[in-house]
Amino acid sequence: CLPPDGWLRCLARDPRFETTQIETDGAKPLLNTLGIGATVTGRILFDDGRPAAGVRVSAQSINMASGGDVKSGPDGRYTLTGLGSTPYNMGLDFDGLDDWTAAAHERFVPVRGQVTAGVDFALIHGVLLEGVVVDADTGAPLPKADVASYGAHRPMSGAWCAVTEADDAGRFKVRVPPGKTKVYYQGNLEGYRYSNAQQLIFDVVAGPPAAPLVLRISRGGEVKGVVVDADGKPVAGATVTATGPAGNDFDNDDRQITDKDGAFHLHGLR
């Protein structure tokens, strides 16, 4: 049973067919026709030509309707199946590769029913960005903040960002290839909000930056209240949601379930 505005993703175990996603309006029966999938192959190599084994390659469609991932073999080769003929951002998962990064393939369009070879990745040391997350008002460092980045490694045309966690002193490190880069707070700390105005966008060139990045984030607004029924009695288990002026939910702690006394506390609101 799906809600009226839900979606269904169909994963085909047979690599000949593509992964598809369909939306439902709740009124019509669902009909999904699996198309013949596209296949992409390539190699992942270190800068000295050595093959990179066990590195995960991922493809995410720009419309987020399909994708896939696979690990490279001992010779650095990978084969990714089940893709559609739609633009994908293809990149690497850098877990275990702290000293390396690689440029992604942006808006790559495979051909349904065909094999596209030579979609390779070159691992490079890139540029290590270092910084600290602080309270915008007090300057105090904020530990354990999630810091996200887009750039040549994670193209801004998609929704797939790279995320790292700041340490206990609010310090973080992000290794990226040269190119236009965006670094921002992703919104995981209680009471602190995500804001477009507080993201950092800059061009990365070869060599370290002149000074550490300082990511300043602000506390958001708070709303407290109690939900009661028509008789004035508290309602436990009710969902309270804060919605922005454009109809979109706020980013941080936008939903709360009322407690046994009907009370709720929304925070980190814009």
Side-chain angles (χ1 to χ4, degrees):
C1 182
L2 293 174
D5 58 350
W7 55 266
L8 178 69
R9 175 167 293 177
C10 298
L11 299 173
R13 295 185 183 276
D14 190 325
R16 296 175 299 171
F17 298 98
E18 67 175 307
T19 295
T20 59
Q21 177 174 303
I22 53 176
E23 296 182 355
T24 173
D25 59 10
K28 301 176 182 177
L30 295 179
L31 175 63
N32 185 42
T33 302
L34 291 178
I36 299 298
T39 297
V40 178
T41 69
R43 293 190 76 189
I44 307 171
L45 301 174
F46 289 101
D47 56 359
D48 60 0
R50 290 179 296 119
V55 178
R56 187 174 299 279
V57 182
S58 296
Q60 184 187 83
S61 64
I62 302 298
N63 62 7
M64 298 180 64
S66 65
D69 62 86
V70 69
K71 285 187 176 181
S72 59
D75 58 356
R77 297 187 184 277
Y78 73 90
T79 299
L80 188 56
T81 61
L83 302 180
S85 290
T86 187
Y88 289 86
N89 287 341
M90 293 185 59
L92 303 182
D93 184 340
F94 300 108
D95 286 348
L97 294 171
D98 294 342
D99 295 331
W100 301 91
T101 186
H105 292 277
E106 184 174 11
R107 294 186 179 276
F108 175 79
V109 182
V111 180
R112 184 177 285 116
Q114 296 186 21
V115 177
T116 303
V119 184
D120 301 331
F121 294 88
L123 288 167
I124 61 174
H125 289 296
V127 178
L128 181 63
L129 304 177
E130 299 185 63
V132 61
V133 184
V134 301
D135 184 293
D137 297 318
T138 67
L142 297 173
K144 303 302 182 182
D146 282 345
V147 177
S149 63
Y150 283 104
H153 60 309
R154 293 286 190 272
M156 299 184 195
S157 55
W160 181 27
C161 61
V163 181
T164 187
E165 184 183 73
D167 64 17
D168 291 336
R171 296 170 300 197
F172 65 89
K173 296 180 181 181
V174 181
R175 190 175 293 276
V176 300
K180 186 176 182 181
T181 302
K182 177 169 73 172
V183 178
Y184 64 99
Y185 162 66
Q186 204 177 34
N188 66 304
L189 299 181
E190 182 175 305
Y192 286 90
R193 61 186 174 88
Y194 164 80
S195 171
N196 286 331
Q198 294 175 317
Q199 61 189 8
L200 304 175
I201 301 178
F202 50 93
D203 289 321
V204 172
V205 296
L213 303 174
V214 180
L215 194 56
R216 297 178 174 86
I217 62 175
S218 301
R219 284 191 171 276
E222 298 186 40
V223 177
K224 297 180 180 180
V226 176
V227 177
V228 299
D229 61 18
D231 298 322
K233 297 179 180 179
V235 178
T239 300
V240 181
T241 304
T243 303
N248 296 318
D249 291 345
F250 286 102
D251 297 285
N252 290 40
D253 300 306
D254 55 336
R255 288 181 176 84
Q256 286 280 310
I257 305 297
T258 56
D259 62 19
K260 61 181 179 61
D261 299 315
F264 65 89
H265 180 194
L266 298 170
H267 44 80
L269 303 180
R270 288 181 287 176

